[in-house]
Amino acid sequence: MTLSEDWLVVMSKPRAEFEARLQLENQGFDVYLPCRMGTARTQSAGQPVALFPRYLFVRLTAQAQSVMPIRSTRGVSQVVRFGPTMAWAPDRLIQNVRAFEHQLRQAGTPGRFKPGDQAEVLLGPFAGITADVVKSDDARVVLLLKVLGSQQKVVFDAGTLSKV
């Protein structure tokens, strides 16, 4: 494992992910905090929300960079450990999370679905299925799916769909 390829898993204090990211970046660390946009049904509508609440990833940018300052950074609770070993996320995993985050941003544009449109389900057990939009609002979309031989109206989060 080289320090420049893997990411250290860090746990923030409750609701302090963004503060921890800012403070770590100010210290020169390469920090990744996966986010999605808040929905209209939450207080964070239109604001970034941590995809994995309380968790962020830090890549050490130099061989001499120490993890010691991370633990005492404002907003950080601890460096995640499995026994005596620090938890590291492989760079490939981080690339996959970034791709997923990008997919969420592309799919979740509010108000872009209208009755009669075709939408493809991107995530969950119905992934890959295309269906007609019955109705939608900023956060939810109702699709008409053929399930077990009959048509059913199923509600989806707008962020899990893509317009066809």
Side-chain angles (χ1 to χ4, degrees), residues 10-154:
V10 175
M11 180 182 251
S12 75
K13 292 180 179 172
R15 294 175 299 284
E17 301 93 345
F18 294 96
E19 174 70 16
R21 179 181 67 183
L22 177 65
Q23 296 301 323
L24 288 166
E25 287 173 343
N26 287 343
Q27 294 177 58
F29 289 103
D30 186 6
V31 182
Y32 175 51
L33 175 61
C35 293
R36 64 175 176 76
M37 294 308 283
T39 63
R41 301 180 78 178
T42 64
Q43 287 182 324
S44 57
Q47 299 296 316
V49 175
L51 197 55
F52 308 112
R54 295 191 66 191
Y55 290 94
L56 47 137
F57 305 93
V58 177
R59 180 168 31 197
L60 303 181
T61 56
Q63 197 71 10
Q65 201 168 21
S66 171
V67 298
M68 295 301 284
I70 295 173
R71 290 185 234 169
S72 60
T73 299
R74 189 172 24 174
V76 170
S77 174
Q78 64 184 337
V79 172
V80 177
R81 295 181 168 274
F82 299 111
T85 307
M86 290 185 289
W88 293 89
D91 190 55
R92 182 73 183 138
L93 173 68
I94 299 300
Q95 289 174 13
N96 289 340
V97 172
R98 285 184 196 267
F100 176 72
E101 183 182 25
H102 179 73
Q103 234 181 4
L104 286 177
R105 270 196 308 272
Q106 294 293 349
T109 307
R112 65 182 236 169
F113 297 101
K114 296 173 185 61
D117 286 348
Q118 287 273 310
E120 179 183 358
V121 181
L122 299 174
L123 305 169
F126 295 106
I129 293 177
T130 302
D132 291 327
V133 174
V134 176
K135 65 180 181 175
S136 70
D137 60 23
D138 286 347
R140 299 181 305 169
V141 179
V142 179
L143 298 182
L144 190 60
L145 295 179
K146 188 170 185 176
V147 179
L148 299 173
S150 65
Q151 291 191 335
Q152 300 290 322
K153 292 179 182 176
V154 182

